[in-house]
Amino acid sequence: QKEVEQDPGPLSVPEGAIVSLNCTYSNSAFQYFMWYRQYSRKGPELLMYTYSSGNKEDGRFTAQVDKSSKYISLFIRDSQPSDSATYLCAMTQYSSASKIIFGSGTRLSIRP
Amino acid sequence: EPEVTQTPSHQVTQMGQEVILRCVPISNHLYFYWYRQILGQKVEFLVSFYNNEISEKSEIFDDQFSVERPDGSNFTLKIRSTKLEDSAMYFCASSELTSGLQDTQYFGPGTRLTVL
């Protein structure tokens, strides 16, 4: 079983739709969860960081963590064409100085 | 806003040659990392570096790889004898190593390494 599993997509939705991106993981040692956005041939850019089960909201983005199910989600409300990118879920065991384990990324396209 | 920079953006080399990839981390950061992403695959951790020594390395980071902080600003990844399978995007990252709950790793734009 892979440590982190993420549907690679591609996922195409119309502008204004709600997008749901998901990952599952197998290692219960993971305690800190992140979502990165990556544009083509660029480095990953941190979007959201959570460390407890529940929801965390930042503008149009909501990150959800369910540690009991080992399942994390990212919701994007009122999606915009500029949100088109690859979204990487990521997780670490420790809060600092810890290697990040990434999912394979979901390629998202928002149609105008 | 401070950012991690990497040079060169694209490096082409012949198999068996040595390459050095360079990174300038964010100036007050203390922890440095290298990751790589083979085309179409996930971003993979290679090594972390703190206080002038390797903190952690993955099984990918074998004897062909080395890291160095030659001065107060640069952080380098050296591949001694490149193989075809080393072709990938190499990302440098740095973090502040705060005592708080969140220690964000900031990624550079990457160096695309092509081994022929």
mmCIF file of all heavy atoms in Angstrom, chain A residues 2 4 32 36 38 41-44 46 49 51 56 88 92 95-100 102-104, chain B residues 31 33 35 37 41-43 45 56 89 91 95 97-98 100-105 107-109 112:
data_model
loop_
_atom_site.group_PDB
_atom_site.id
_atom_site.type_symbol
_atom_site.label_atom_id
_atom_site.label_comp_id
_atom_site.label_asym_id
_atom_site.label_seq_id
_atom_site.Cartn_x
_atom_site.Cartn_y
_atom_site.Cartn_z
ATOM 1 N N LYS A 2 0.554 2.197 -0.891
ATOM 2 C CA LYS A 2 1.334 3.417 -0.955
ATOM 3 C C LYS A 2 1.116 4.230 0.294
ATOM 4 O O LYS A 2 0.036 4.226 0.880
ATOM 5 C CB LYS A 2 0.914 4.222 -2.186
ATOM 6 C CG LYS A 2 1.312 3.596 -3.498
ATOM 7 C CD LYS A 2 0.899 4.492 -4.660
ATOM 8 C CE LYS A 2 1.225 3.860 -5.982
ATOM 9 N NZ LYS A 2 0.736 4.661 -7.114
ATOM 10 N N VAL A 4 0.955 7.532 0.561
ATOM 11 C CA VAL A 4 -0.016 8.588 0.285
ATOM 12 C C VAL A 4 -0.604 8.329 -1.098
ATOM 13 O O VAL A 4 0.139 8.162 -2.068
ATOM 14 C CB VAL A 4 0.639 9.985 0.298
ATOM 15 C CG1 VAL A 4 -0.395 11.060 0.004
ATOM 16 C CG2 VAL A 4 1.327 10.238 1.629
ATOM 17 N N TYR A 32 0.910 16.192 10.489
ATOM 18 C CA TYR A 32 0.768 17.535 9.925
ATOM 19 C C TYR A 32 0.490 17.391 8.441
ATOM 20 O O TYR A 32 1.160 16.621 7.741
ATOM 21 C CB TYR A 32 2.044 18.348 10.182
ATOM 22 C CG TYR A 32 2.337 18.451 11.663
ATOM 23 C CD1 TYR A 32 3.126 17.492 12.297
ATOM 24 C CD2 TYR A 32 1.772 19.467 12.422
ATOM 25 C CE1 TYR A 32 3.346 17.548 13.656
ATOM 26 C CE2 TYR A 32 1.994 19.523 13.779
ATOM 27 C CZ TYR A 32 2.774 18.559 14.395
ATOM 28 O OH TYR A 32 2.992 18.615 15.740
ATOM 29 N N TYR A 36 -0.263 21.783 -1.340
ATOM 30 C CA TYR A 36 0.570 22.644 -2.159
ATOM 31 C C TYR A 36 -0.065 22.770 -3.537
ATOM 32 O O TYR A 36 -0.715 21.853 -4.025
ATOM 33 C CB TYR A 36 1.983 22.059 -2.325
ATOM 34 C CG TYR A 36 2.906 22.281 -1.151
ATOM 35 C CD1 TYR A 36 2.854 21.450 -0.032
ATOM 36 C CD2 TYR A 36 3.851 23.304 -1.173
ATOM 37 C CE1 TYR A 36 3.719 21.642 1.038
ATOM 38 C CE2 TYR A 36 4.722 23.498 -0.104
ATOM 39 C CZ TYR A 36 4.646 22.667 0.994
ATOM 40 O OH TYR A 36 5.505 22.862 2.057
ATOM 41 N N GLN A 38 0.989 23.591 -7.530
ATOM 42 C CA GLN A 38 2.157 23.604 -8.407
ATOM 43 C C GLN A 38 1.726 23.932 -9.825
ATOM 44 O O GLN A 38 0.960 23.188 -10.432
ATOM 45 C CB GLN A 38 2.897 22.253 -8.367
ATOM 46 C CG GLN A 38 4.201 22.250 -9.134
ATOM 47 C CD GLN A 38 4.939 20.923 -9.049
ATOM 48 O OE1 GLN A 38 4.341 19.880 -8.830
ATOM 49 N NE2 GLN A 38 6.262 20.957 -9.217
ATOM 50 N N ARG A 41 6.041 23.393 -14.397
ATOM 51 C CA ARG A 41 7.469 23.660 -14.353
ATOM 52 C C ARG A 41 7.855 24.704 -13.300
ATOM 53 O O ARG A 41 8.815 25.453 -13.457
ATOM 54 C CB ARG A 41 8.000 24.068 -15.727
ATOM 55 C CG ARG A 41 7.820 22.972 -16.769
ATOM 56 C CD ARG A 41 8.585 23.265 -18.029
ATOM 57 N NE ARG A 41 8.374 22.257 -19.047
ATOM 58 C CZ ARG A 41 9.022 21.112 -19.120
ATOM 59 N NH1 ARG A 41 9.927 20.807 -18.216
ATOM 60 N NH2 ARG A 41 8.772 20.262 -20.083
ATOM 61 N N LYS A 42 7.062 24.752 -12.204
ATOM 62 C CA LYS A 42 7.384 25.630 -11.083
ATOM 63 C C LYS A 42 7.493 24.798 -9.821
ATOM 64 O O LYS A 42 7.113 23.630 -9.786
ATOM 65 C CB LYS A 42 6.275 26.683 -10.899
ATOM 66 C CG LYS A 42 6.039 27.584 -12.088
ATOM 67 C CD LYS A 42 7.169 28.549 -12.303
ATOM 68 C CE LYS A 42 6.866 29.525 -13.419
ATOM 69 N NZ LYS A 42 8.029 30.376 -13.726
ATOM 70 N N GLY A 43 7.996 25.411 -8.755
ATOM 71 C CA GLY A 43 8.080 24.734 -7.480
ATOM 72 C C GLY A 43 6.745 24.715 -6.762
ATOM 73 O O GLY A 43 5.878 25.550 -7.009
ATOM 74 N N PRO A 44 6.556 23.761 -5.853
ATOM 75 C CA PRO A 44 5.319 23.719 -5.058
ATOM 76 C C PRO A 44 5.200 24.960 -4.169
ATOM 77 O O PRO A 44 6.182 25.439 -3.609
ATOM 78 C CB PRO A 44 5.502 22.453 -4.206
ATOM 79 C CG PRO A 44 6.534 21.633 -4.911
ATOM 80 C CD PRO A 44 7.445 22.623 -5.561
ATOM 81 N N LEU A 46 2.945 26.504 -0.921
ATOM 82 C CA LEU A 46 2.062 26.093 0.155
ATOM 83 C C LEU A 46 0.743 26.868 0.116
ATOM 84 O O LEU A 46 0.720 28.087 0.058
ATOM 85 C CB LEU A 46 2.737 26.311 1.505
ATOM 86 C CG LEU A 46 1.917 25.876 2.714
ATOM 87 C CD1 LEU A 46 1.771 24.359 2.732
ATOM 88 C CD2 LEU A 46 2.569 26.353 4.008
ATOM 89 N N TYR A 49 -2.127 24.525 5.673
ATOM 90 C CA TYR A 49 -1.356 23.707 6.621
ATOM 91 C C TYR A 49 -2.272 23.408 7.787
ATOM 92 O O TYR A 49 -2.824 24.326 8.392
ATOM 93 C CB TYR A 49 -0.134 24.501 7.065
ATOM 94 C CG TYR A 49 0.806 23.791 8.008
ATOM 95 C CD1 TYR A 49 2.042 23.343 7.562
ATOM 96 C CD2 TYR A 49 0.501 23.612 9.358
ATOM 97 C CE1 TYR A 49 2.941 22.724 8.422
ATOM 98 C CE2 TYR A 49 1.380 22.992 10.219
ATOM 99 C CZ TYR A 49 2.601 22.545 9.752
ATOM 100 O OH TYR A 49 3.483 21.943 10.601
ATOM 101 N N TYR A 51 -2.987 20.684 11.372
ATOM 102 C CA TYR A 51 -2.357 19.704 12.246
ATOM 103 C C TYR A 51 -3.355 18.976 13.138
ATOM 104 O O TYR A 51 -2.969 18.218 14.000
ATOM 105 C CB TYR A 51 -1.284 20.354 13.118
ATOM 106 C CG TYR A 51 -1.756 21.538 13.902
ATOM 107 C CD1 TYR A 51 -2.308 21.407 15.165
ATOM 108 C CD2 TYR A 51 -1.643 22.818 13.368
ATOM 109 C CE1 TYR A 51 -2.745 22.499 15.870
ATOM 110 C CE2 TYR A 51 -2.083 23.930 14.076
ATOM 111 C CZ TYR A 51 -2.635 23.758 15.325
ATOM 112 O OH TYR A 51 -3.067 24.846 16.012
ATOM 113 N N LYS A 56 -10.197 23.690 8.337
ATOM 114 C CA LYS A 56 -9.510 24.974 8.414
ATOM 115 C C LYS A 56 -9.818 25.746 7.143
ATOM 116 O O LYS A 56 -9.675 25.198 6.044
ATOM 117 C CB LYS A 56 -7.997 24.782 8.553
ATOM 118 C CG LYS A 56 -7.223 26.094 8.636
ATOM 119 C CD LYS A 56 -5.754 25.827 8.804
ATOM 120 C CE LYS A 56 -4.969 27.135 8.866
ATOM 121 N NZ LYS A 56 -3.524 26.877 9.029
ATOM 122 N N LEU A 88 -1.087 19.240 -4.804
ATOM 123 C CA LEU A 88 -0.372 18.163 -4.141
ATOM 124 C C LEU A 88 -0.768 18.102 -2.672
ATOM 125 O O LEU A 88 -0.637 19.100 -1.957
ATOM 126 C CB LEU A 88 1.146 18.409 -4.208
ATOM 127 C CG LEU A 88 1.764 18.769 -5.555
ATOM 128 C CD1 LEU A 88 3.238 19.120 -5.377
ATOM 129 C CD2 LEU A 88 1.620 17.634 -6.533
ATOM 130 N N THR A 92 3.680 15.315 7.009
ATOM 131 C CA THR A 92 4.920 15.076 7.738
ATOM 132 C C THR A 92 4.604 14.490 9.103
ATOM 133 O O THR A 92 3.474 14.577 9.597
ATOM 134 C CB THR A 92 5.730 16.371 7.945
ATOM 135 O OG1 THR A 92 4.994 17.230 8.829
ATOM 136 C CG2 THR A 92 5.996 17.096 6.655
ATOM 137 N N SER A 95 6.383 18.688 13.334
ATOM 138 C CA SER A 95 5.970 20.041 12.959
ATOM 139 C C SER A 95 7.071 20.816 12.279
ATOM 140 O O SER A 95 6.818 21.729 11.513
ATOM 141 C CB SER A 95 5.504 20.808 14.195
ATOM 142 O OG SER A 95 6.574 20.949 15.120
ATOM 143 N N SER A 96 8.312 20.474 12.558
ATOM 144 C CA SER A 96 9.390 21.246 11.959
ATOM 145 C C SER A 96 10.510 20.339 11.495
ATOM 146 O O SER A 96 10.701 19.235 12.018
ATOM 147 C CB SER A 96 9.926 22.265 12.962
ATOM 148 O OG SER A 96 10.465 21.624 14.092
ATOM 149 N N ALA A 97 11.224 20.816 10.492
ATOM 150 C CA ALA A 97 12.428 20.146 10.000
ATOM 151 C C ALA A 97 12.171 18.688 9.655
ATOM 152 O O ALA A 97 12.982 17.821 9.965
ATOM 153 C CB ALA A 97 13.543 20.256 11.044
ATOM 154 N N SER A 98 11.064 18.428 9.032
ATOM 155 C CA SER A 98 10.663 17.053 8.756
ATOM 156 C C SER A 98 10.474 16.867 7.269
ATOM 157 O O SER A 98 9.911 17.739 6.599
ATOM 158 C CB SER A 98 9.372 16.742 9.499
ATOM 159 O OG SER A 98 8.961 15.407 9.304
ATOM 160 N N LYS A 99 10.914 15.733 6.744
ATOM 161 C CA LYS A 99 10.732 15.493 5.311
ATOM 162 C C LYS A 99 9.252 15.466 4.993
ATOM 163 O O LYS A 99 8.425 14.962 5.769
ATOM 164 C CB LYS A 99 11.391 14.183 4.897
ATOM 165 C CG LYS A 99 10.750 12.942 5.479
ATOM 166 C CD LYS A 99 11.478 11.694 5.013
ATOM 167 C CE LYS A 99 10.811 10.455 5.614
ATOM 168 N NZ LYS A 99 11.577 9.228 5.292
ATOM 169 N N ILE A 100 8.917 16.032 3.851
ATOM 170 C CA ILE A 100 7.532 16.048 3.394
ATOM 171 C C ILE A 100 7.325 14.856 2.475
ATOM 172 O O ILE A 100 8.130 14.592 1.581
ATOM 173 C CB ILE A 100 7.226 17.355 2.641
ATOM 174 C CG1 ILE A 100 7.334 18.559 3.578
ATOM 175 C CG2 ILE A 100 5.838 17.288 2.024
ATOM 176 C CD1 ILE A 100 7.146 19.891 2.873
ATOM 177 N N PHE A 102 4.829 13.620 -0.329
ATOM 178 C CA PHE A 102 3.833 14.186 -1.219
ATOM 179 C C PHE A 102 2.972 13.108 -1.857
ATOM 180 O O PHE A 102 3.423 11.982 -2.099
ATOM 181 C CB PHE A 102 4.514 14.955 -2.361
ATOM 182 C CG PHE A 102 5.095 16.279 -1.963
ATOM 183 C CD1 PHE A 102 6.416 16.383 -1.547
ATOM 184 C CD2 PHE A 102 4.324 17.427 -2.027
ATOM 185 C CE1 PHE A 102 6.956 17.613 -1.184
ATOM 186 C CE2 PHE A 102 4.859 18.660 -1.675
ATOM 187 C CZ PHE A 102 6.171 18.752 -1.249
ATOM 188 N N GLY A 103 1.725 13.478 -2.152
ATOM 189 C CA GLY A 103 0.915 12.681 -3.056
ATOM 190 C C GLY A 103 1.359 12.947 -4.487
ATOM 191 O O GLY A 103 2.198 13.816 -4.752
ATOM 192 N N SER A 104 0.788 12.206 -5.389
ATOM 193 C CA SER A 104 1.207 12.318 -6.793
ATOM 194 C C SER A 104 0.652 13.564 -7.478
ATOM 195 O O SER A 104 1.108 13.928 -8.552
ATOM 196 C CB SER A 104 0.792 11.066 -7.565
ATOM 197 O OG SER A 104 -0.601 10.853 -7.414
ATOM 198 N N TYR B 31 17.178 25.527 8.004
ATOM 199 C CA TYR B 31 17.040 24.146 7.568
ATOM 200 C C TYR B 31 16.884 24.124 6.056
ATOM 201 O O TYR B 31 16.122 24.920 5.507
ATOM 202 C CB TYR B 31 15.812 23.508 8.236
ATOM 203 C CG TYR B 31 16.100 22.195 8.904
ATOM 204 C CD1 TYR B 31 16.334 22.129 10.263
ATOM 205 C CD2 TYR B 31 16.144 21.021 8.165
ATOM 206 C CE1 TYR B 31 16.596 20.918 10.874
ATOM 207 C CE2 TYR B 31 16.409 19.808 8.760
ATOM 208 C CZ TYR B 31 16.630 19.755 10.121
ATOM 209 O OH TYR B 31 16.895 18.563 10.724
ATOM 210 N N TYR B 33 16.703 21.728 2.300
ATOM 211 C CA TYR B 33 16.242 20.452 1.769
ATOM 212 C C TYR B 33 16.473 20.404 0.266
ATOM 213 O O TYR B 33 16.465 21.430 -0.410
ATOM 214 C CB TYR B 33 14.732 20.281 1.995
ATOM 215 C CG TYR B 33 14.234 20.605 3.379
ATOM 216 C CD1 TYR B 33 13.999 21.926 3.757
ATOM 217 C CD2 TYR B 33 13.983 19.601 4.304
ATOM 218 C CE1 TYR B 33 13.545 22.237 5.025
ATOM 219 C CE2 TYR B 33 13.510 19.906 5.579
ATOM 220 C CZ TYR B 33 13.297 21.231 5.931
ATOM 221 O OH TYR B 33 12.831 21.531 7.189
ATOM 222 N N TYR B 35 14.648 18.133 -2.924
ATOM 223 C CA TYR B 35 13.650 17.183 -3.395
ATOM 224 C C TYR B 35 13.849 17.032 -4.895
ATOM 225 O O TYR B 35 14.439 17.897 -5.549
ATOM 226 C CB TYR B 35 12.226 17.703 -3.143
ATOM 227 C CG TYR B 35 11.812 17.789 -1.702
ATOM 228 C CD1 TYR B 35 12.205 18.868 -0.907
ATOM 229 C CD2 TYR B 35 11.001 16.815 -1.125
ATOM 230 C CE1 TYR B 35 11.810 18.954 0.422
ATOM 231 C CE2 TYR B 35 10.596 16.892 0.200
ATOM 232 C CZ TYR B 35 11.016 17.972 0.973
ATOM 233 O OH TYR B 35 10.619 18.058 2.285
ATOM 234 N N GLN B 37 11.721 15.636 -8.649
ATOM 235 C CA GLN B 37 10.474 15.207 -9.274
ATOM 236 C C GLN B 37 10.798 14.720 -10.678
ATOM 237 O O GLN B 37 11.070 15.535 -11.574
ATOM 238 C CB GLN B 37 9.458 16.347 -9.298
ATOM 239 C CG GLN B 37 8.086 15.943 -9.818
ATOM 240 C CD GLN B 37 7.075 17.072 -9.729
ATOM 241 O OE1 GLN B 37 7.417 18.251 -9.844
ATOM 242 N NE2 GLN B 37 5.813 16.724 -9.529
ATOM 243 N N GLN B 41 5.966 12.093 -12.186
ATOM 244 C CA GLN B 41 5.930 11.376 -10.912
ATOM 245 C C GLN B 41 5.830 12.365 -9.746
ATOM 246 O O GLN B 41 5.829 13.571 -9.939
ATOM 247 C CB GLN B 41 7.166 10.489 -10.782
ATOM 248 C CG GLN B 41 7.246 9.406 -11.846
ATOM 249 C CD GLN B 41 8.372 8.434 -11.637
ATOM 250 O OE1 GLN B 41 8.843 8.239 -10.506
ATOM 251 N NE2 GLN B 41 8.832 7.812 -12.704
ATOM 252 N N LYS B 42 5.766 11.825 -8.548
ATOM 253 C CA LYS B 42 5.576 12.683 -7.390
ATOM 254 C C LYS B 42 6.885 13.323 -6.947
ATOM 255 O O LYS B 42 7.973 12.866 -7.281
ATOM 256 C CB LYS B 42 4.949 11.908 -6.227
ATOM 257 C CG LYS B 42 5.737 10.722 -5.748
ATOM 258 C CD LYS B 42 5.103 10.094 -4.507
ATOM 259 C CE LYS B 42 3.755 9.492 -4.794
ATOM 260 N NZ LYS B 42 3.181 8.794 -3.618
ATOM 261 N N VAL B 43 6.753 14.382 -6.190
ATOM 262 C CA VAL B 43 7.909 15.050 -5.596
ATOM 263 C C VAL B 43 8.442 14.141 -4.484
ATOM 264 O O VAL B 43 7.673 13.700 -3.619
ATOM 265 C CB VAL B 43 7.513 16.421 -5.023
ATOM 266 C CG1 VAL B 43 8.699 17.091 -4.346
ATOM 267 C CG2 VAL B 43 6.949 17.323 -6.122
ATOM 268 N N PHE B 45 11.468 13.366 -1.477
ATOM 269 C CA PHE B 45 12.483 13.902 -0.582
ATOM 270 C C PHE B 45 13.833 13.249 -0.862
ATOM 271 O O PHE B 45 13.923 12.028 -1.055
ATOM 272 C CB PHE B 45 12.060 13.625 0.864
ATOM 273 C CG PHE B 45 13.122 13.885 1.893
ATOM 274 C CD1 PHE B 45 13.387 15.179 2.324
ATOM 275 C CD2 PHE B 45 13.850 12.832 2.432
ATOM 276 C CE1 PHE B 45 14.355 15.420 3.289
ATOM 277 C CE2 PHE B 45 14.819 13.066 3.403
ATOM 278 C CZ PHE B 45 15.076 14.360 3.833
ATOM 279 N N GLU B 56 18.797 14.121 7.619
ATOM 280 C CA GLU B 56 18.068 12.938 7.175
ATOM 281 C C GLU B 56 18.267 12.792 5.677
ATOM 282 O O GLU B 56 18.418 13.790 4.970
ATOM 283 C CB GLU B 56 16.571 13.101 7.492
ATOM 284 C CG GLU B 56 15.740 11.868 7.229
ATOM 285 C CD GLU B 56 14.282 12.034 7.657
ATOM 286 O OE1 GLU B 56 13.888 13.149 8.072
ATOM 287 O OE2 GLU B 56 13.542 11.043 7.560
ATOM 288 N N MET B 89 13.369 17.238 -12.235
ATOM 289 C CA MET B 89 13.391 18.582 -11.652
ATOM 290 C C MET B 89 13.904 18.436 -10.227
ATOM 291 O O MET B 89 13.436 17.579 -9.478
ATOM 292 C CB MET B 89 12.001 19.186 -11.613
ATOM 293 C CG MET B 89 11.521 19.775 -12.913
ATOM 294 S SD MET B 89 12.383 21.286 -13.362
ATOM 295 C CE MET B 89 11.487 22.468 -12.357
ATOM 296 N N PHE B 91 14.293 20.372 -6.701
ATOM 297 C CA PHE B 91 13.801 21.521 -5.944
ATOM 298 C C PHE B 91 14.583 21.656 -4.649
ATOM 299 O O PHE B 91 14.758 20.689 -3.913
ATOM 300 C CB PHE B 91 12.320 21.361 -5.598
ATOM 301 C CG PHE B 91 11.407 21.359 -6.793
ATOM 302 C CD1 PHE B 91 10.802 20.196 -7.210
ATOM 303 C CD2 PHE B 91 11.139 22.536 -7.490
ATOM 304 C CE1 PHE B 91 9.955 20.179 -8.306
ATOM 305 C CE2 PHE B 91 10.292 22.527 -8.588
ATOM 306 C CZ PHE B 91 9.704 21.344 -8.995
ATOM 307 N N SER B 95 13.507 26.195 5.439
ATOM 308 C CA SER B 95 12.535 26.527 6.480
ATOM 309 C C SER B 95 13.253 27.195 7.635
ATOM 310 O O SER B 95 14.462 27.060 7.808
ATOM 311 C CB SER B 95 11.761 25.293 6.949
ATOM 312 O OG SER B 95 12.610 24.382 7.616
ATOM 313 N N LEU B 97 12.700 26.815 10.891
ATOM 314 C CA LEU B 97 12.857 26.016 12.108
ATOM 315 C C LEU B 97 12.386 26.807 13.317
ATOM 316 O O LEU B 97 13.132 27.097 14.247
ATOM 317 C CB LEU B 97 14.308 25.571 12.313
ATOM 318 C CG LEU B 97 14.507 24.463 13.374
ATOM 319 C CD1 LEU B 97 13.786 23.194 12.973
ATOM 320 C CD2 LEU B 97 15.978 24.204 13.618
ATOM 321 N N THR B 98 11.088 27.151 13.274
ATOM 322 C CA THR B 98 10.497 27.875 14.391
ATOM 323 C C THR B 98 10.107 26.900 15.487
ATOM 324 O O THR B 98 9.953 25.703 15.249
ATOM 325 C CB THR B 98 9.235 28.634 13.933
ATOM 326 O OG1 THR B 98 8.321 27.675 13.378
ATOM 327 C CG2 THR B 98 9.584 29.654 12.878
ATOM 328 N N GLY B 100 7.311 27.123 16.951
ATOM 329 C CA GLY B 100 5.858 27.065 16.919
ATOM 330 C C GLY B 100 5.363 25.833 16.193
ATOM 331 O O GLY B 100 6.104 24.921 15.871
ATOM 332 N N LEU B 101 4.105 25.829 15.914
ATOM 333 C CA LEU B 101 3.478 24.643 15.349
ATOM 334 C C LEU B 101 3.727 24.489 13.853
ATOM 335 O O LEU B 101 3.649 23.397 13.340
ATOM 336 C CB LEU B 101 1.973 24.684 15.624
ATOM 337 C CG LEU B 101 1.581 24.429 17.077
ATOM 338 C CD1 LEU B 101 0.105 24.731 17.289
ATOM 339 C CD2 LEU B 101 1.880 23.001 17.468
ATOM 340 N N GLN B 102 3.966 25.594 13.171
ATOM 341 C CA GLN B 102 4.081 25.515 11.719
ATOM 342 C C GLN B 102 5.465 25.926 11.268
ATOM 343 O O GLN B 102 5.933 27.008 11.572
ATOM 344 C CB GLN B 102 3.039 26.429 11.064
ATOM 345 C CG GLN B 102 3.099 26.396 9.545
ATOM 346 C CD GLN B 102 1.956 27.131 8.901
ATOM 347 O OE1 GLN B 102 0.948 27.418 9.529
ATOM 348 N NE2 GLN B 102 2.104 27.451 7.629
ATOM 349 N N ASP B 103 6.125 25.049 10.585
ATOM 350 C CA ASP B 103 7.447 25.341 10.040
ATOM 351 C C ASP B 103 7.378 25.097 8.551
ATOM 352 O O ASP B 103 7.610 23.989 8.082
ATOM 353 C CB ASP B 103 8.501 24.438 10.705
ATOM 354 C CG ASP B 103 9.898 24.753 10.203
ATOM 355 O OD1 ASP B 103 10.181 25.948 9.984
ATOM 356 O OD2 ASP B 103 10.683 23.819 10.026
ATOM 357 N N THR B 104 7.037 26.139 7.831
ATOM 358 C CA THR B 104 6.768 25.999 6.403
ATOM 359 C C THR B 104 8.049 25.829 5.623
ATOM 360 O O THR B 104 9.017 26.566 5.825
ATOM 361 C CB THR B 104 6.029 27.248 5.904
ATOM 362 O OG1 THR B 104 4.816 27.377 6.635
ATOM 363 C CG2 THR B 104 5.731 27.142 4.426
ATOM 364 N N GLN B 105 8.043 24.885 4.706
ATOM 365 C CA GLN B 105 9.141 24.743 3.764
ATOM 366 C C GLN B 105 8.785 25.524 2.505
ATOM 367 O O GLN B 105 7.745 25.295 1.896
ATOM 368 C CB GLN B 105 9.387 23.272 3.425
ATOM 369 C CG GLN B 105 9.923 22.479 4.604
ATOM 370 C CD GLN B 105 10.232 21.042 4.267
ATOM 371 O OE1 GLN B 105 10.569 20.706 3.130
ATOM 372 N NE2 GLN B 105 10.142 20.162 5.262
ATOM 373 N N PHE B 107 9.708 26.446 -1.303
ATOM 374 C CA PHE B 107 10.382 25.786 -2.409
ATOM 375 C C PHE B 107 10.872 26.795 -3.440
ATOM 376 O O PHE B 107 10.224 27.796 -3.711
ATOM 377 C CB PHE B 107 9.432 24.796 -3.096
ATOM 378 C CG PHE B 107 9.243 23.524 -2.320
ATOM 379 C CD1 PHE B 107 8.434 23.493 -1.195
ATOM 380 C CD2 PHE B 107 9.888 22.361 -2.712
ATOM 381 C CE1 PHE B 107 8.268 22.328 -0.467
ATOM 382 C CE2 PHE B 107 9.728 21.181 -1.993
ATOM 383 C CZ PHE B 107 8.909 21.167 -0.870
ATOM 384 N N GLY B 108 12.019 26.477 -4.025
ATOM 385 C CA GLY B 108 12.503 27.246 -5.158
ATOM 386 C C GLY B 108 11.821 26.805 -6.440
ATOM 387 O O GLY B 108 11.038 25.856 -6.446
ATOM 388 N N PRO B 109 12.136 27.495 -7.548
ATOM 389 C CA PRO B 109 11.484 27.188 -8.824
ATOM 390 C C PRO B 109 11.985 25.912 -9.480
ATOM 391 O O PRO B 109 11.374 25.430 -10.432
ATOM 392 C CB PRO B 109 11.810 28.407 -9.687
ATOM 393 C CG PRO B 109 13.097 28.901 -9.123
ATOM 394 C CD PRO B 109 13.043 28.636 -7.659
ATOM 395 N N ARG B 112 15.872 22.021 -13.844
ATOM 396 C CA ARG B 112 15.561 20.840 -14.663
ATOM 397 C C ARG B 112 16.882 20.256 -15.139
ATOM 398 O O ARG B 112 17.633 20.920 -15.872
ATOM 399 C CB ARG B 112 14.679 21.234 -15.839
ATOM 400 C CG ARG B 112 14.248 20.043 -16.688
ATOM 401 C CD ARG B 112 12.921 20.326 -17.359
ATOM 402 N NE ARG B 112 13.009 21.424 -18.311
ATOM 403 C CZ ARG B 112 13.103 21.264 -19.621
ATOM 404 N NH1 ARG B 112 13.155 20.067 -20.143
ATOM 405 N NH2 ARG B 112 13.142 22.325 -20.402
#
